[in-house]
Amino acid sequence: MNRGAEVACETRAAGVGPAEAAAPEAPLRVRRQLPRVSEVRELLQFRAPVLDPVRRRLERALTIEDLRAIGRRTTPRAVFDYVDGAAEAEVTARRNLDAFRTAVFVPDGLNSVADPDLSTELLGERIAFPLVFAPTGYTRMMHHEGEAAVARVAQRNGLPYALSTVGTTTIEEVRDAAPRGRNWFQLYLTNDRALNADLVGRALAAGCDTVILTIDTAVAGGRHKDTRNGLTIPPSLTAQTFLDMARFPYWWLNKLTTAPISFASLRDYPGTSADVAAMLFDPGLDWEHLEWLRGAWPHRLLVKGVLNPRDARRTVELGADGVVVSNHGGRQLDRTPATLEALPAIREAVGPDATVLLDSGVRNGQDIVAAIARGADAVMIGRAYLYGFMAGGERGVERAVEILRAEYRRALQLLGLDATSKIAPHHVRMGSRVSDTDDLYPRR
């Protein structure tokens, strides 16, 4: 007897007919009920409408890229391009971002991270987390509140702020805006010794505790976007640029009803803005200038724009307290190494005691962790806070800090670390490179 016949006999013996044996099981009945009001309320969290447009758009920003997108919508194209753009083909600017994207994190497990200590010691003082506001030029062009607003944010958050020689606010105005802040001054040494001495003296009198000498501006980088937009020194706006700016009446109103934009710390220097710019980009800068500055400045001294380990070593040997590993955000010499890639060799060259900061390409709190693991004491940010500044002035800068701090804290905890001091080289390794031609920002 075949198997089918056996099954049929067994079914009949059990008293079950063929139709009944093939019938499917009845579906389970789902018990239904009306939802309680409390349950619906828990699912639907309606927010009160936010009438303030600045607050509304900043609350929606969860990343620095979100702030960048908002800044692009709220600022004239030429101004946004000045912040966002870089030199030549912008290869270096992409490399800076690529390097951070390829960082691979290796976490430690089963460590308590309930209350992580984000702070760190930098140049003999404690700061809230490893972040420094980098010097930026033309800052009041991005938002009329200018450098004073940035300095206030830095003071509130326990972070250093570096004012640029080509800032649009004076050293004294920054001091008055943030009298309890840790204020630094970035210096371009010129071929005018009297002017150099005056700037150093003013920084000292204003209570700055650190001077940063920038050395990668022998000549101006080839920033083609600025040239095409007419955003040169002096400005030579094209008709297209002017018409685009006219689309932003709030921006125009603030520019027309506040003090004219100028190199504030050089306001009394005779000559046009072009004369001042030509003086600041000094091809004659050499090691003797650094030696002069070390003798003239009694406090902490950093040298910014260092990518070569031999330069880093000599800088420290001549008395500088440390270096800033920087390629000027890709805005000067194009096709230089990414700063995150150059960092370990520079740390090895200067040893463990010198201060090493990393500048260029930081967009996320995870980038800060990667930089520290690779040898930095802290990072500097420029574009990251300027995106926030364009998006919402002082409140936008505050939002940028909130985002970076939250990302940094979360990254630290997910790495299994409860303190900045516990970040070690083994926590980060570098993966395969991203193509230079990759589009790093989504189209909007």
Side-chain angles (χ1 to χ4, degrees):
M1 184 183 296
N2 62 33
R3 179 61 184 160
E6 290 176 359
V7 172
C9 290
E10 291 170 0
T11 303
R12 283 194 296 272
V16 179
E20 291 169 309
E25 294 183 5
L28 293 174
R29 290 184 176 275
V30 177
R31 182 172 173 270
R32 297 184 181 277
Q33 65 182 30
L34 290 174
R36 291 191 289 268
V37 174
S38 60
E39 294 173 335
V40 176
R41 189 186 301 120
E42 189 174 320
L43 288 172
L44 302 176
Q45 296 290 333
F46 293 108
R47 296 181 179 180
V50 178
L51 301 180
D52 182 349
V54 175
R55 179 185 164 195
R56 184 167 60 244
R57 61 181 179 248
L58 291 179
E59 286 182 351
R60 293 174 181 169
L62 302 180
T63 66
I64 297 300
E65 170 59 24
D66 289 342
L67 292 176
R68 177 181 179 271
I70 296 169
R72 190 172 199 160
R73 294 196 301 268
T74 56
T75 312
R77 174 66 180 271
V79 177
F80 179 84
D81 282 352
Y82 177 81
V83 173
D84 197 59
E88 307 290 346
E90 304 190 354
V91 173
T92 294
R94 289 194 294 273
R95 282 179 179 167
N96 287 333
L97 298 173
D98 283 356
F100 283 112
R101 291 178 63 194
T102 59
V104 179
F105 292 103
V106 183
D108 295 338
L110 293 176
N111 293 324
S112 174
V113 293
D115 187 23
D117 178 9
L118 309 187
S119 70
T120 192
E121 187 172 301
L122 184 65
L123 292 169
E125 293 187 25
R126 209 80 191 163
I127 61 174
F129 70 112
L131 186 75
V132 177
F133 287 90
T136 60
Y138 272 148
T139 310
R140 286 186 54 243
M141 181 173 65
M142 295 78 164
H143 194 280
H144 64 281
E145 293 174 351
E147 289 88 351
V150 183
R152 286 192 293 268
V153 173
Q155 176 179 263
R156 281 197 301 271
N157 287 278
L159 302 170
Y161 168 69
L163 175 69
S164 172
T165 298
V166 293
T168 49
T169 304
T170 66
I171 307 171
E172 294 79 13
E173 289 166 339
V174 165
R175 175 200 59 201
D176 294 343
R180 297 178 307 282
R182 190 168 178 192
N183 298 321
W184 297 3
F185 184 66
Q186 176 272 334
L187 181 66
Y188 287 116
L189 281 177
T190 72
N191 52 20
D192 187 329
R193 284 291 179 95
L195 176 59
N196 296 338
D198 178 62
L199 290 171
V200 169
R202 287 173 62 188
L204 187 61
C208 295
D209 65 50
T210 301
V211 157
I212 304 173
L213 172 65
T214 298
I215 64 170
D216 58 359
T217 54
V219 296
R223 302 172 194 171
H224 300 320
K225 287 180 180 176
D226 295 343
T227 302
R228 293 188 180 104
N229 290 327
L231 209 61
T232 55
I233 303 174
S236 180
L237 302 183
T238 66
Q240 183 178 350
T241 300
F242 184 81
L243 290 173
D244 176 71
M245 287 181 170
R247 296 170 46 238
F248 299 87
Y250 180 77
W251 183 89
W252 266 116
L253 177 65
N254 286 316
K255 293 297 167 287
L256 294 174
T257 57
T258 55
I261 295 173
S262 66
F263 298 142
S265 293
L266 304 170
R267 195 174 289 149
D268 297 331
Y269 187 83
T272 65
S273 57
D275 295 332
V276 173
M279 177 184 61
L280 293 173
F281 294 102
D282 182 10
L285 184 68
D286 59 21
W287 292 104
E288 290 184 6
H289 288 83
L290 175 58
E291 292 181 273
W292 174 85
L293 180 59
R294 180 65 286 180
W297 179 251
H299 301 314
R300 304 175 187 95
L301 174 63
L302 300 175
V303 175
K304 180 175 178 283
V306 177
L307 293 171
N308 187 319
R310 288 174 297 178
D311 289 345
R313 186 182 301 112
R314 187 173 182 186
T315 294
V316 172
E317 289 172 350
L318 289 177
D321 295 282
V323 297
V324 181
V325 183
S326 173
N327 50 38
H328 220 102
R331 296 166 68 82
Q332 284 296 105
L333 177 63
D334 201 13
R335 307 189 189 190
T336 54
T339 52
L340 190 63
E341 293 175 342
L343 176 60
I346 290 176
R347 167 53 79 188
E348 183 179 359
V350 301
D353 297 330
T355 296
V356 176
L357 302 183
L358 178 138
D359 172 72
S360 307
V362 175
R363 296 286 191 281
N364 189 289
Q366 292 184 340
D367 299 343
I368 305 174
V369 175
I372 294 172
R374 300 271 287 172
D377 294 296
V379 303
M380 302 188 84
I381 57 167
R383 289 186 180 96
Y385 79 77
L386 289 179
Y387 293 144
F389 200 42
M390 291 187 291
E394 183 171 337
R395 287 181 287 172
V397 178
E398 187 76 47
R399 183 63 183 141
V401 174
E402 290 172 357
I403 289 170
L404 290 169
R405 181 171 49 228
E407 291 171 339
Y408 178 68
R409 179 189 177 95
R410 183 166 56 245
L412 206 63
Q413 290 175 300
L414 292 175
L415 269 174
L417 306 175
D418 65 355
T420 294
S421 61
K422 294 185 179 179
I423 299 174
H426 73 265
H427 290 121
V428 174
R429 60 180 176 82
M430 300 305 293
S432 58
R433 284 194 56 79
V434 179
S435 168
D436 281 337
T437 60
D438 273 10
D439 187 4
L440 299 175
Y441 294 115
R443 300 292 181 188
R444 295 185 184 272

